[in-house]
Amino acid sequence: MIRINEIKLSLDEEETLLRAKASKILRINEKYITSLTVFKKSVDARHKDDVHFTYSVDVAIALDEQQIVAKCKNGKVSIVTPYCYEMPACARRSQFRPVVVGFGPAGMLAGLILAEAGLRPIILERGKRINERQRDVSAFWTKAELNEESNVQFGEGGAGTFSDGKLTTGIKSPFIRKVLEELYEAGAPEEILYAAKPHIGTDRLAVVVKNIRTKIEKLGGEVLTECRLDRLIEANGFVHGVTYTHRGERIDLETDSVILAIGHSARDTVEMLYQMGVEMIQKPFSVGARIEHPQRLINKTQYGKFANHPKLGAADYKLACHGLHERGAYTFCMCPGGTVVAAASEKDTVIVNGMSSLARDGENANAALLVGIEPKDFPSEHPLAGIDYQRAIEHQAFVLAGGDYRAPAQLVGDFLKGEASRQLGDVQPTYPLGVTLTSLDECLPEKVAATMKSAIVQMDGKLAGFNLYDAVLTAPETRSSSAVRMVRDEFLQCSIRGVYPCGEGAGYAGGIISAACDGIKCAHAVLTDEH
């Protein structure tokens, strides 16, 4: 297979021209191209007077590939081997079925790999199945009725189900393509296989989650919902089973392999595991707020005169700067045409996140504006002190906004001036339970607020309009990643043998793709363990 990088198409050119452009680069007649597939597609908007698409394509030809590549003498052309996922040989001798705790991205992919290997995994998810979960989330967003076991954080699909479904990642893993292919097979749009910034959209994610569950079940696995892990059954340093609660009934399940894919918000489970002796250490994380701008402003700033071109859709951005301390500030999980969501999973707390549909056709753009928090900022050296730090912020935000799950909010201009906001401007916040205008200095740590203010000014130099006076900040965002890391060895097991901490909740991932890849990695560890 020959890969050709950096083929340019204008916004008005059709993809059918790729074959002609590829044949020209290879210096062969187009009739010798037997197939052409898009490997990557991205928007190049560096020059606002020339916004265009850039492609990498994979080409099969009816000629000697080595000879053609050598003859064309082009650094953008190379021979590649098509990706093919290879499952390791199963060395496992145990007769027990492995257990996976959690059915978010990490648990889904771990369970799927184990099912494909014929191990018939049992997956325990504390929340409800997706349709029932959606009803519980709707009840919270419309009536402030929080179900602590079925919400934005807990339930089939994990926290990623109520998000943009963003599939970008900074990790380098051989499993990324496997994850994308499984998501596509389960109903995600084909463009996730080649888009430079792929996303599924919260509306499509529900379908994908159900289809992955169905595939696992057809392969002999079980996905049990409304099953909260209560404890590990441990003896002599080894796991012998788990105890979980299903609708009030406590059930013991014998196993010798447990993948803990609990997510970053299962704080009660983390506390239980710590008390049982699972070694944990403090981990840096981030705190901040969601910032909302008119999507039309972001489109204009990013695409200039091409902003309304039908092929472009809603523009995004990713910004970072070194602010007033060592980790600086950055934007995270930017949701074009999206909404800010209520993401609480514990009573008397306020947490915000962002999501958008596949169409990304909302009025506002939103992104998390986050500041890095180091363990030295935590209230103590206790391994779980980061959780205490998060909870304090979330509860203070709840109280500040009125104690009814409204969120505290402030105009960017007022935030920069240090004045509490009294009325909204042109930007209407999308947080579903309503906002209380106030000063975010009263719920965000001083270091976080000061760094955010510095960052907003700096980021406006990179994205004109970022410091728009009427832009709205809604707080707090505290769950971008876990506040603890569960220590695991070279076999990916923790201090209790046979237990594999996995994904975001264990501190080894930060997003759908990285969590899913870690799920595959832990499934491989179970497969290759010869017990």
Side-chain angles (χ1 to χ4, degrees):
M1 186 76 70
I2 297 175
R3 180 163 298 157
I4 308 173
N5 294 316
E6 298 181 35
I7 298 180
K8 174 182 172 180
L9 285 184
S10 73
L11 299 184
D12 296 322
E13 289 181 307
E14 298 298 327
E15 289 187 356
T16 51
L17 292 175
L18 288 171
R19 293 177 72 93
K21 289 178 178 281
S23 64
K24 184 176 180 180
I25 292 170
L26 295 177
R27 295 197 276 179
I28 62 174
N29 191 297
E30 189 176 336
K31 68 181 181 181
Y32 290 115
I33 295 179
T34 58
S35 71
L36 182 148
T37 56
V38 176
F39 177 74
K40 183 170 289 186
K41 176 184 178 181
S42 60
V43 177
D44 187 337
R46 290 173 295 177
H47 304 289
K48 305 310 176 196
D49 59 345
D50 181 26
V51 176
H52 60 271
F53 293 114
T54 300
Y55 291 80
S56 293
V57 299
D58 288 342
V59 177
I61 61 174
L63 298 169
D64 186 303
E65 291 182 350
Q66 296 281 0
Q67 185 181 52
I68 294 300
V69 170
K71 186 179 72 172
C72 74
K73 296 180 180 179
N74 188 323
K76 300 174 184 178
V77 178
S78 61
I79 293 179
V80 296
T81 301
Y83 173 81
C84 182
Y85 168 73
E86 292 185 14
M87 185 181 294
C90 183
R92 182 178 170 85
R93 295 191 296 269
S94 171
Q95 298 303 305
F96 293 115
R97 297 168 69 180
V99 170
V100 178
V101 182
F103 199 59
M108 283 193 292
L109 268 295
L112 181 58
I113 296 301
L114 294 174
E116 289 180 336
L119 297 186
R120 301 170 56 245
I122 299 172
I123 303 170
L124 307 177
E125 167 55 52
R126 70 185 295 168
K128 297 180 181 179
R129 291 207 164 183
I130 190 68
N131 290 347
E132 297 172 87
R133 181 187 182 197
Q134 287 173 321
R135 288 194 285 271
D136 290 333
V137 170
S138 178
F140 179 49
W141 288 354
T142 58
K143 305 174 187 176
E145 297 174 355
L146 176 63
N147 184 332
E148 291 185 277
E149 296 297 329
S150 177
N151 46 60
V152 169
Q153 308 295 346
F154 301 144
E156 190 175 49
T161 303
F162 294 93
S163 72
D164 188 43
K166 204 177 309 299
L167 304 178
T168 49
T169 180
I171 69 168
K172 302 293 184 184
S173 170
F175 304 134
I176 293 175
R177 186 69 183 181
K178 169 67 171 174
V179 174
L180 294 175
E181 289 176 352
E182 290 294 342
L183 294 174
Y184 169 59
E185 180 186 313
E190 185 179 11
E191 66 186 40
I192 70 165
L193 298 176
Y194 56 79
K197 298 177 181 178
H199 85 288
I200 299 177
T202 188
D203 48 338
R204 190 72 72 88
L205 272 165
V207 175
V208 171
V209 169
K210 284 189 280 189
N211 287 340
I212 291 177
R213 179 230 303 159
T214 298
K215 183 174 181 179
I216 290 171
E217 291 172 339
K218 286 181 177 178
L219 290 167
E222 292 181 71
V223 180
L224 307 179
T225 53
E226 299 180 71
C227 295
R228 188 191 66 238
L229 178 69
D230 290 330
R231 69 184 181 100
L232 301 175
I233 300 172
E234 178 264 344
N236 301 317
F238 287 82
V239 69
H240 292 270
V242 298
T243 300
Y244 65 93
T245 297
H246 174 63
R247 297 180 181 178
E249 180 185 3
R250 284 173 65 90
I251 301 168
D252 289 340
L253 176 63
E254 194 170 5
T255 186
D256 54 13
S257 298
V258 179
I259 294 179
L260 293 173
I262 61 176
H264 57 43
S265 292
R267 291 166 169 171
D268 51 356
T269 306
V270 171
E271 290 163 356
M272 175 273 292
L273 293 169
Y274 177 76
Q275 291 169 4
M276 289 201 65
V278 174
E279 184 181 358
M280 301 182 190
I281 59 174
Q282 295 181 340
K283 174 186 160 296
F285 61 97
S286 297
V287 169
R290 282 274 152 180
I291 184 167
E292 288 190 270
H293 298 88
Q295 183 62 51
R296 64 181 183 278
L297 169 68
I298 305 302
N299 293 346
K300 183 67 176 177
T301 301
Q302 295 293 66
Y303 295 148
K305 65 181 181 181
F306 299 97
N308 296 317
H309 198 285
K311 286 188 179 179
L312 287 175
D316 63 2
Y317 61 79
K318 184 177 181 180
L319 303 169
C321 65
H322 291 289
L324 304 180
H325 75 110
E326 62 271 25
R327 293 189 70 201
Y330 61 99
T331 62
F332 175 77
C333 188
M334 191 271 165
C335 298
T339 58
V340 175
V341 302
S345 57
E346 297 177 335
K347 297 286 188 184
D348 300 340
T349 61
V350 168
I351 306 153
V352 299
N353 199 354
M355 77 176 192
S356 56
S357 66
L358 181 61
R360 290 177 163 176
D361 54 1
E363 290 291 321
N364 289 357
N366 77 78
L369 177 59
L370 300 178
V371 176
I373 301 298
E374 300 288 343
K376 67 182 181 182
D377 300 312
F378 297 174
S380 74
E381 294 183 356
H382 191 282
L384 306 189
I387 292 177
D388 296 334
Y389 186 97
Q390 290 174 324
R391 272 185 172 142
I393 296 169
E394 295 160 7
H395 180 66
Q396 176 60 22
F398 177 81
V399 173
L400 179 63
D404 56 3
Y405 295 104
R406 284 175 294 165
Q410 189 174 13
L411 302 190
V412 164
D414 294 335
F415 182 63
L416 294 178
K417 290 164 61 178
E419 299 177 359
S421 291
R422 303 301 178 195
Q423 63 181 20
L424 294 168
D426 290 336
V427 180
Q428 296 299 308
T430 57
Y431 181 82
L433 288 163
V435 300
T436 298
L437 293 176
T438 183
S439 170
L440 297 188
D441 290 313
E442 295 187 39
C443 70
L444 294 176
E446 181 180 355
K447 166 180 158 179
V448 171
T451 305
M452 286 172 60
K453 291 172 185 177
S454 172
I456 289 170
V457 174
Q458 293 183 58
M459 289 176 179
D460 187 69
K462 301 177 181 181
L463 185 74
F466 193 79
N467 68 351
L468 179 72
Y469 198 106
D470 286 354
V472 176
L473 288 163
T474 309
E477 175 130 354
T478 54
R479 306 279 184 93
S480 61
S481 67
S482 175
V484 301
R485 174 166 286 138
M486 300 180 194
V487 178
R488 63 189 192 189
D489 62 17
E490 67 270 27
F491 304 107
L492 307 190
Q493 299 180 45
C494 70
S495 46
I496 298 176
R497 310 310 296 163
V499 176
Y500 302 78
C502 178
E504 287 203 32
Y508 293 96
I512 292 174
I513 291 294
S514 59
C517 288
D518 201 55
I520 296 176
K521 189 176 177 181
C522 287
H524 284 194
V526 172
L527 288 173
T528 55
D529 188 357
E530 298 180 357
H531 72 281

